[in-house]
Every structure is written in C-alpha cells, then in structure tokens.
C-alpha cells in the first residue's frame, strides 16, 4: 500500500466505536480498521464509549502508533457503553450532525444487534455504517462467529476445569452458570468441552427429574461428582442446585462465573477473525458501501444488509446438544 506523500490530503474520514458489552478481540478489530484505513489514505477517528462519544463529541484522531500494542489486550481501548439517548430521534440526529461537522463519512460499529439497529438509524441520516459482530454470546443470527466468543468460552472452560477439581475432592455436584444472555451457545460448547453431566439451555429445555435420576444411577456405579452447566438465560443456578440436592441427596453448590468471562487476553481465533473483519469493513467503506454487517458464513467473511441481518434466525446446534446428552454419563 502506498503511503501518502507530504501535503497530500486524506480523501475520506471514518470513525470507529465499540458498543454494548465489551468482548476480547475488539481491540484487534480497532487496530485493523485503523491501520487498514490509514494505509488507504483514509483518516480515522476513535469514538469513545459507544454512541455516547458520537453525541458528546468524545472523539480522537487515531494514528498508526495509537493502536500499537493493543492486539493482545482484553476489553476495549475505546471504552464501551449503552446509550439510551441514541435510541431517540434527537440523539441520532445530533450524532449524525457531529459526524458531518467533523467530516466523518462513515462509521464502523463493533457490537451486537442493538448496536446494529443504531447503525441502521445513523445510515438513514447519510452516514456510511458498517457493523462488526462483537459479543461473547455468539447470538447474532447473520454470522457463525462473533468477536470474543472463543476467548470467553476458553475462560469459562478453564474455570470449570478448576471447579471440577474441588467438586471431585468433595464428592459434590457443581451447578455453574455461564453467560450468553438468552442464548445457550457458550453453555453448550463449554459444557461439551468440560465434560459436563448436563447442559441446561432455553433452546433445548431441561428436566431436573431426569437429570437427578441419571445422577443417582451414576452414583451407584461409582460416580461421585457432577458438573451441571446452566446458560444465563435459564438462570437460577442457586435454585437448581438446591433442587438437585433435594432430589439426589448429593451435596450441591452453585457458581456464577459472571463478568470474568468478558475479560482476558484474546485467543488467536478472536484476534485473527477480528482483524479480518476489520479489514473487510474498511474495504466496504472505501467503496462507499453502507448499512451492512460483516459476518462469517461457511467459514468465510461476507457482508449482509443490516435489516436482513436483524431479521435472520439462528439455528441452535441440536446435534451437538444430543452428543453432550448421550455422552454425559
Ligand atoms: P448490543 O449491541 O450488544 O446488542 P445493546 O442492545 O445494549 O447491546 O445496544 C447497544 C447500544 O446500541 C444501545 O445502548 C443504544 O445506544 C444502541 N441501540 C440499541 N437498540 C437501538 C435501537 N433500537 N435504535 C437505536 N439505537 C439502539
Ligand atoms: O452480551 C454480553 C453479556 O455479557 C451477556 O452475556 C450478559 O447477559 C450481559 O452482557 C451482561 O451485561 P452487563 O455488562 O450490563 O451486566
């Protein structure tokens, strides 16, 4: 890529923001967008704290060195927030006006479905908008993969491995709740990878009597400890632990892993995909393409209209759930 010559004026300017819950790998996307855009002679602005920064003008110009050393850091250097004002027509108009004042032609929004709704609104005001899927939940229908998903699952798996040590030492049952909002993707994969005896998700439903009966049967054959993974959407880990203890007479404890799943050093997969998606977003903006979400389909990066993306439904991997169920005891 040819560098700009002295005195040459950048033809275009774009902004980048992270919105909604943070996710490991967001920084890799920020770096990729910044460096790819600068290499094409596009000026880059970092917008802080999601849509709040657009409304309040909390915007800084980013140079190549400003995104050095951030690839391997969790969280988001741009900070993130939820911004109720951006859900109002006045808020969106103010944000669009600020973009125009600063000469920002386009925005890359890294976030989830909510953030993409905001991006669609902004694009109606003449700002080019591209969404990148950033959430640990993997609950965005138009993409097989979301930035942060892999790191969060690895973190949860590591925690459950630790939990298994103490659960085994005490001949107990651990009921462990993992994040995912209403989606059970983290629970399913982490449950499988940590050899959980049961995975409870909203998508598949569950029967505590059946789980208790399997635990009692298994304990007769020498199995004395159990890991039950509960998706956040199902909730009530404490109540489930109590009920299982009553039904089985096996001592049970509840653990809610919580926000620890959102932090930490991003895995290779998150860094690679975030970088590819960030690069792709700049290619779209360079061509004045707007109102698109970048996603992954059949392992390849692609883009899709935001409204279409928001109307899609995501399949739950029922076969994988059956595998967990059929290999649990
Ligand atoms: P996520 O992007 O992870 O789904 P949220 O649903 O909290 O997270 O959305 C993040 C932000 O996107 C909100 O705080 C708000 O600023 C903006 N947003 C969400 N929904 C809308 C909407 N319907 N219209 C405009 N902006 C929205
Ligand atoms: O969307 C990511 C996520 O961590 C969900 O798994 C969880 O339900 C939610 O965000 C928690 O949000 P907050 O950070 O507002 O507690």
């Amino acid at each position: 890529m040819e560098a700009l010559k002295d005195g040459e004026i950048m033809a275009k300017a774009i902004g980048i923001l992270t919105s909604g819950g943070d996710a490991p790998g967001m920084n890799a996307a920020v770096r990729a967008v910044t460096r790819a855009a600068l290499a094409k002679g596009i000026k880059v602005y970092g917008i802080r704290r999601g849509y709040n920064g657009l409304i309040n003008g909390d915007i800084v110009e980013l140079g190549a060195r400003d995104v050095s050393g951030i690839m391997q850091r969790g969280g988001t250097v741009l900070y993130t927030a939820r911004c109720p004002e951006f859900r109002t027509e006045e808020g969106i108009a103010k944000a669009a006006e600020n973009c125009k004042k600063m000469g920002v032609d386009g925005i890359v929004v890294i976030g989830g479905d909510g953030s993409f709704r905001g991006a669609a609104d902004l694009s109606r005001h003449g700002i080019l908008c591209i969404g990148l899927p950033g959430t640990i939940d993997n609950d965005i229908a138009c993409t097989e993969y979301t930035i942060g998903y892999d790191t969060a699952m690895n973190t949860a798996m590591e925690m459950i491995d630790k939990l298994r040590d103490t659960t085994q030492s005490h001949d107990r049952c651990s009921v462990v709740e993992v994040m995912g909002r209403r989606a059970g993707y983290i629970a399913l994969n982490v449950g499988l990878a940590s050899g959980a005896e049961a995975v409870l998700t909203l998508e598949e439903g569950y029967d505590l009597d059946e789980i208790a009966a399997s635990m009692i049967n298994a304990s007769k054959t020498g199995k004395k400890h159990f890991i039950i993974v509960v998706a956040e959407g199902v909730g009530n880990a404490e109540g489930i632990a109590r009920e299982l203890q009553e039904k089985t007479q096996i001592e049970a404890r509840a653990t809610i892993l919580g926000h620890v799943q959102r932090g930490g050093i991003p895995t290779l997969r998150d860094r690679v995909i975030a970088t590819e998606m960030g690069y792709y977003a700049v290619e779209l903006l360079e061509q004045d393409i707007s109102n698109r979400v970048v996603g992954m389909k059949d392992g390849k990066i692609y883009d899709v209209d935001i409204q279409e993306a928001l109307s899609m439904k995501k399949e739950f991997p029922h076969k994988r759930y059956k595998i967990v169920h059929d290999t649990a005891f």
Side-chain angles (χ1 to χ4, degrees):
M1 212 69 65
E2 225 177 279
L4 284 187
K5 298 181 185 65
D6 276 354
E8 203 172 338
I9 292 169
M10 289 197 174
K12 199 180 250 181
I14 63 169
I16 176 160
L17 62 84
T18 48
S19 170
D22 65 347
M26 281 183 163
N27 285 330
V30 170
R31 174 184 176 277
V33 168
T34 304
R35 295 265 176 92
L38 291 172
K40 289 174 189 296
I42 300 171
K43 199 171 187 172
V44 184
Y45 290 104
I47 299 151
R48 294 201 187 105
R49 297 183 174 84
Y51 291 115
N52 287 302
L54 262 192
I55 292 175
N56 308 330
D58 190 2
I59 299 171
V60 285
E61 191 175 340
L62 294 177
R65 299 287 73 76
D66 294 318
V67 292
S68 294
I70 66 169
M71 173 84 93
Q72 64 275 25
R73 285 171 55 192
T76 159
V77 293
L78 293 178
Y79 302 91
T80 186
R82 298 198 165 94
C83 175
E85 198 184 342
F86 199 72
R87 289 168 181 264
T88 65
E89 196 42 51
E90 299 74 44
I92 295 161
K94 203 163 154 194
E97 198 186 310
N98 276 344
C99 287
K100 286 172 190 160
K101 251 194 242 160
M102 294 201 67
V104 172
D105 307 287
I107 304 274
V108 178
V109 173
I110 311 174
D113 281 343
S115 305
F116 298 160
R117 282 193 186 92
D121 291 341
L122 193 60
S123 70
R124 277 192 283 276
H125 282 72
I127 309 298
L128 306 171
C129 287
I130 303 294
L132 295 189
T135 165
I136 64 165
D137 304 332
N138 200 28
D139 60 350
I140 300 178
C142 69
T143 184
E144 291 160 4
Y145 192 81
T146 59
I147 297 165
Y149 181 44
D150 191 56
T151 307
M153 287 194 294
N154 277 288
T155 301
M157 181 183 71
E158 218 175 281
M159 297 296 158
I160 295 173
D161 286 347
K162 291 179 201 282
L163 202 55
R164 190 179 278 283
D165 291 343
T166 171
T167 306
Q168 183 163 18
S169 304
H170 287 263
D171 293 332
R172 278 178 179 157
C173 168
S174 270
V175 175
V176 50
E177 183 186 306
V178 298
M179 273 189 167
R181 209 178 284 264
R182 296 190 54 78
Y185 302 102
I186 296 179
L188 177 61
N189 288 295
V190 167
L192 186 155
S194 51
E197 279 64 45
V199 175
L200 278 51
T201 65
L202 285 179
E203 290 90 342
E204 296 287 344
Y206 63 93
D207 178 347
L208 283 190
D209 286 326
E210 188 203 318
I211 295 169
S214 300
M215 286 168 64
I216 292 166
N217 280 339
S219 68
K220 287 180 190 152
T221 64
K223 184 162 177 56
K224 299 284 180 219
H225 78 283
F226 303 88
I227 299 284
I228 312 294
V229 174
V230 178
E232 179 186 2
V234 170
N236 193 22
E238 290 278 357
I240 291 170
R242 238 187 340 266
E243 214 176 316
L244 281 177
Q245 179 166 313
E246 275 162 24
K247 288 182 196 296
T248 61
Q249 300 307 305
I250 296 165
E251 194 181 17
R253 293 280 189 275
T255 304
I256 297 172
L257 293 186
H259 289 79
V260 70
Q261 295 162 96
R262 288 232 300 255
I265 297 170
T267 58
L268 176 141
R269 187 160 163 77
D270 274 325
R271 296 182 205 190
V272 169
I273 294 172
T275 300
E276 285 183 338
M277 287 181 167
Y279 189 89
Y280 193 106
V282 173
E283 288 183 326
L284 294 177
L285 287 176
E286 189 189 18
Q287 301 166 69
D288 290 336
I289 295 171
S290 180
N291 206 35
R292 311 287 290 178
V293 176
V294 176
M296 182 187 276
K297 192 174 165 187
D298 302 327
K300 291 204 177 67
I301 308 295
Y302 84 120
D303 60 287
V304 58
D305 175 80
I306 295 187
Q307 296 306 341
E308 198 184 328
L310 291 172
S311 68
M312 288 178 176
K313 292 270 169 293
K314 195 161 187 164
E315 272 290 302
F316 196 69
H318 300 291
K319 183 69 193 280
R320 191 170 296 173
Y321 177 82
K322 184 170 159 44
I323 293 171
V324 173
H325 185 270
D326 293 354
T327 59
F329 286 97

